[in-house]
Amino acid sequence: MGKNIIEKIFEAHLAYGDLKAGSPVGLRVDQVYTQDATGTMAWLQFEAMGLDRVKVPLAVSYIDHNMVQSNFMNPDDHKFLQSIAAKYGAYFSRPGNGICHQIHLEQFAAPGRIALGTDSHTPTGGGMGMIAIGVGGLDAATVMGGSPFELNMPQVIKIHLKGKLQRPWVTAMDVILEILRRLTVKGGVGKIMEYGGPGAGDLSVPERATITNMGAELGATTSIFPSDKRTKFYLSAIGREADWMELKADKGARYAEVIDVDLSSIEPMIAQPHSPDNVVTVKSLGNTKIDQVCIGSCTNSSYQAMKAVASILKDNTVAEGVNLLINPGSKQVYEMIAKEKLTSDMIAAGARMLEASCGPCIGMGGAPGSGQVSVRSFNRNFKGRSGTKDASVYLASPVSCAVFAVKGEIVAPRESGLHISSFKEPSKYLINRNFIIPPKADASDINVIKGPNIKEAPVKEPLQDKINAEVLLKLGDNITTDDIMPAGSKILPFRSNIPAISEFVFENIDKTFSNRAEEAKSKGGGIIVGGENYGQGSSREHAAIAPMFLGIQAVIVKSFARIHRSNLINFGILPLQFENSEDYDRAENGDQLVIRDLNATISGAQKYIIENTTQGYTFTVVSTLNEREQEIIKKGGLLPYTRARSGM
Ligand code: MIC
Ligand code: SF4
């Protein structure tokens, strides 16, 4: 029987399990990378395992999120991450080197390998024909400690591409926006998107990476392209041809579903506030006045993207009343566009050039003004994520963004009257690895340096047999981890300090939450109730650790997003699902819920009878924990579970 690409890579890395959709599989991982905002916790947890060196072939610690340095906290984290990478055998990418996913694609991603990253946009590497999966920090730490990575085998969906993009006005960003329009932010949950078909050959690796990157917004476990001659061309252009191998699906390979996408018929697309799947054609939206444009992020900050933007800006001026901010994705990209004097075209047009980092994408500067309209080439436009609650944020391709910046409004790019040069993929990129520090062979004299804001990760006590806790917050569908644990320049610096960051849990939804949770803690703790796709978005485990620190015992929802569900389990919070959605409707804030016989139920049928003692009725919820997850919950989380197993 023919195999698809996922089966081929998974089989070559299988530690245990079989590749039946839904059943647990353990995979041996080739590469693990962290970024600073999730990395400090991941590395503290790795340190707590007491090993002397990482046990994966390649580990990299990147600095890209916490770059504002408004006080000692960010630079202390950078120092900590540099020293701990040196101590335990990881590469270290210095601040200024750029966004982890862009650099990883340039420097380390390779076809046929498996990489984990402590960031939800790790699937960027799928553009290179690699399985690249976003995970929480503790999952990454355990894998760096030598364990296989376990996940429930996703369904494999084929996205069959045909035709060619109508370049240069239509880009890879428009493809993924169109797919989001069709499938929505829940459409990929429990699935891997495998791209193929004759249209795949029309796309370069950086274009493919834009599509797999933003596949995260579908909720997909990851997305991947074949490795073919376009892959070989890119690898050779970045001086890594030796990393190439061919990778394609066999004839007769099977898929759970096949989705056809005709590249030729794709138009410039735009996501409207406040969700990446709220997509329409730019044309249909036309002539909306804007105040800000931001170009960059791990989705659209490649050399190709920057070159297209510069060609539109050349000899033009950013419209009056518009601010244009540009973050090139990596030092390599920045250096190349500077050498070619493209940055001077950007600056001459009035662009505000920012450093190679996440920047405004995560609210680290560049917030729009109150009630303003911002269009961004980024991947997420959740309410408040930009740092301004009442801003209207749209998402569009870098080409469309540059057009809007000059025109001062959203206009159909092709009808804007502006010029854009066509792009030829370079056969040679500038290669300069001077900002990547390789692991040290002898780490015996290296001390890990911890600033005063860096605090050990708290650990939960083992599961009690009974939960008697209050519903502290009832929420709707598609709650994001930005809703649960906001980011931005005020809160991100506390990522290494759980007690401090816990004060901001649900800050944008309910300012009183953390106080109420603290109060409930001594009386049995709290429960959160949510709708579909709870915890979509980022991989930040702070959206689980901080609620755990505040005494949250269980989260009861209609359905979970993958990474957040794993993070809840990793920190000992019970992830439960309503059996009947009417019971979601009945639940109210302040209800006291009692769940008994937890230990037996978890290892048994996983159907829990809950008594709502406030309203006086009972209802049933379920969990879908596999055996390992059951044990993790019973021990109080992945760290105590790992310690118990290794006899530490
Ligand atoms: C994001 O885009 O939301 C982030 C910031 O990159 C997160 C990681 C984090 O919260 O640190 C992600 O996507 O996983
Ligand atoms: Fe950084 Fe934004 Fe990409 Fe997250 S989505 S890694 S914040 S650029």
Side-chain angles (χ1 to χ4, degrees):
M1 198 182 66
K3 290 185 183 137
N4 60 43
I5 296 176
I6 311 306
E7 288 165 335
K8 289 185 184 188
I9 304 181
F10 275 32
E11 262 177 20
H13 291 81
L14 201 63
Y16 58 84
D18 71 75
L19 305 183
K20 216 170 83 247
S23 59
V25 285
L27 299 172
R28 281 185 298 271
V29 170
D30 304 304
Q31 311 183 345
V32 177
Y33 66 91
T34 59
Q35 46 92 333
D36 52 338
T38 50
T40 50
M41 273 299 135
W43 283 102
L44 283 169
Q45 284 150 351
F46 178 80
E47 189 184 38
M49 287 173 193
L51 302 168
D52 55 3
R53 216 165 163 84
V54 293
K55 305 230 174 310
V56 281
L58 177 93
V60 193
S61 169
Y62 293 97
I63 308 283
D64 52 4
H65 284 67
N66 271 328
M67 303 282 286
V68 168
Q69 298 182 213
S70 53
N71 58 31
F72 64 91
M73 296 181 195
N74 295 170
D76 279 4
D77 282 355
H78 301 173
K79 209 47 188 175
F80 163 69
L81 289 166
Q82 179 164 3
S83 61
I84 203 158
K87 178 101 195 147
Y88 293 113
Y91 283 83
F92 178 69
S93 169
R94 295 166 65 183
N97 205 27
I99 306 174
C100 58
H101 310 302
Q102 175 66 26
I103 308 170
H104 206 79
L105 191 74
E106 293 164 2
Q107 306 286 353
F108 299 109
R113 308 282 162 76
I114 298 190
L116 300 184
T118 61
D119 191 282
S120 63
H121 289 102
T122 303
T124 314
M128 186 71 96
M130 160 183 223
I131 295 284
I133 301 181
V135 296
L138 189 46
D139 277 325
T142 344
V143 170
M144 289 197 290
S147 301
F149 171 59
E150 186 176 298
L151 80 168
N152 290 338
M153 183 64 199
Q155 288 185 329
V156 183
I157 310 296
K158 165 103 184 255
I159 303 206
H160 184 82
L161 302 175
K162 64 172 192 186
K164 281 183 187 320
L165 284 181
Q166 297 179 45
R167 292 190 180 78
W169 294 110
V170 181
T171 73
M173 176 67 165
D174 302 302
V175 178
I176 187 64
L177 285 173
E178 165 62 13
I179 295 174
L180 273 154
R181 184 188 70 79
R182 289 206 222 164
L183 303 187
T184 81
V185 291
K186 306 192 293 241
V189 177
K191 297 172 183 168
I192 295 184
M193 305 303 183
E194 182 180 310
Y195 288 82
D202 182 50
L203 302 169
S204 67
V205 167
E207 288 175 327
R208 295 173 181 185
T210 291
I211 295 173
T212 58
N213 167 289
M214 206 169 166
E217 274 52 68
L218 296 165
T221 303
T222 190
S223 305
I224 191 168
F225 272 83
S227 171
D228 54 12
K229 53 180 200 272
R230 298 296 300 253
T231 324
K232 191 173 187 177
F233 182 87
Y234 178 75
L235 274 169
S236 125
I238 54 173
R240 293 201 288 122
E241 198 176 336
D243 284 341
W244 186 74
M245 65 179 269
E246 189 180 32
L247 198 60
K248 61 177 181 195
D250 294 336
K251 278 217 167 61
R254 288 202 305 200
Y255 297 92
E257 196 187 334
V258 178
I259 296 169
D260 289 304
V261 176
D262 180 3
L263 297 177
S264 322
S265 67
I266 290 183
E267 289 287 301
M269 307 299 283
I270 188 161
Q272 308 170 92
H274 297 284
S275 178
D277 61 359
N278 190 10
V279 174
V280 292
T281 61
V282 174
K283 208 170 178 171
S284 70
L285 203 81
N287 306 90
T288 306
K289 283 254 167 277
I290 58 169
D291 304 285
Q292 186 194 52
V293 173
C294 300
I295 300 177
S297 91
C298 54
T299 312
N300 284 303
S301 58
S302 65
Y303 170 72
Q304 166 165 358
M306 292 297 141
K307 200 159 171 157
V309 167
S311 102
I312 295 167
L313 294 179
K314 188 174 169 57
D315 301 328
N316 282 309
T317 301
V318 173
E320 236 179 273
V322 174
N323 264 289
L324 169 63
L325 279 61
I326 302 182
N327 291 78
S330 69
K331 178 168 162 292
Q332 180 183 77
V333 172
Y334 225 149
E335 244 183 291
M336 281 180 78
I337 62 170
K339 271 221 159 94
E340 291 175 29
K341 302 205 169 23
L342 302 178
T343 32
S344 54
D345 292 337
M346 294 171 167
I347 293 166
R352 294 167 57 183
M353 300 304 292
L354 305 175
E355 61 184 329
S357 69
C358 297
C361 180
I362 194 56
M364 277 306 226
S370 44
Q372 287 191 352
V373 175
S374 175
V375 190
R376 299 168 162 219
S377 73
F378 304 169
N379 47 46
R380 291 184 175 141
N381 58 345
F382 305 142
K383 203 174 171 55
R385 180 174 160 104
S386 65
T388 306
K389 246 185 167 172
D390 62 356
S392 296
V393 177
Y394 293 75
L395 308 173
S397 79
V399 164
S400 300
C401 282
V403 169
F404 306 159
V406 174
K407 290 291 175 182
E409 57 183 0
I410 296 171
V411 287
R414 265 185 293 227
E415 288 149 30
S416 65
L418 294 174
H419 169 79
I420 179 171
S421 317
S422 40
F423 175 83
K424 192 163 167 299
E425 200 185 353
S427 56
K428 191 118 215 70
Y429 281 83
L430 187 153
I431 298 155
N432 184 352
R433 284 191 145 208
N434 65 339
F435 256 46
I436 298 186
I437 303 177
K440 308 266 180 272
D442 177 10
S444 48
D445 59 348
I446 294 169
N447 289 322
V448 174
I449 304 166
K450 288 185 191 149
N453 185 47
I454 300 178
K455 306 266 191 270
E456 299 305 313
V459 178
K460 196 174 182 295
E461 71 289 351
L463 184 76
Q464 312 279 311
D465 211 35
K466 176 178 154 194
I467 291 176
N468 182 356
E470 180 188 335
V471 174
L472 291 173
L473 197 57
K474 182 181 173 185
L475 300 151
D477 291 343
N478 295 323
I479 290 299
T480 71
T481 52
D482 282 282
D483 294 324
I484 305 168
M485 186 72 261
S489 56
K490 185 177 82 178
I491 304 176
L492 268 178
F494 294 110
R495 283 290 180 93
S496 312
N497 184 340
I498 299 299
I501 206 168
S502 295
E503 290 175 24
F504 300 100
V505 173
F506 287 117
E507 154 105 347
N508 292 333
I509 292 184
D510 174 357
K511 280 212 175 314
T512 65
F513 182 85
S514 62
N515 284 340
R516 292 191 295 112
E518 285 285 8
E519 265 171 44
K521 202 170 173 180
S522 55
K523 296 184 244 147
I527 288 178
I528 293 162
V529 169
E532 302 281 5
N533 199 24
Y534 180 81
Q536 70 157 331
S538 85
S539 68
R540 66 188 70 144
E541 60 192 353
H542 299 76
I545 315 180
M548 178 273 275
F549 182 78
L550 292 175
I552 299 303
Q553 303 291 333
V555 175
I556 311 175
V557 298
K558 292 184 187 169
S559 66
F560 287 101
R562 174 188 63 92
I563 309 179
H564 187 60
R565 175 183 175 278
S566 298
N567 284 336
L568 289 172
I569 296 167
N570 287 350
F571 292 94
I573 297 180
L574 242 185
L576 301 172
Q577 282 166 259
F578 288 101
E579 202 175 39
N580 301 307
S581 60
E582 305 85 74
D583 294 324
Y584 165 83
D585 300 335
R586 284 178 88 173
E588 280 176 24
N589 281 325
D591 284 356
Q592 195 70 27
L593 305 185
V594 182
I595 325 176
R596 293 172 213 277
D597 298 329
L598 280 168
N599 282 290
T601 318
I602 282 188
S603 318
Q606 300 198 56
K607 272 191 180 228
Y608 311 73
I609 310 293
I610 301 191
E611 258 177 87
N612 184 328
T613 55
T614 311
Q615 294 194 48
Y617 68 96
T618 60
F619 63 103
T620 315
V621 299
V622 297
S623 61
T624 54
L625 303 163
N626 65 34
E627 267 174 44
R628 175 174 172 271
E629 291 169 339
Q630 293 166 13
E631 288 313 306
I632 293 174
I633 287 278
K634 285 186 187 166
K635 289 276 178 317
L638 182 54
L639 201 57
Y641 167 87
T642 310
R643 280 187 183 140
R645 279 172 62 102
S646 60
M648 279 160 60

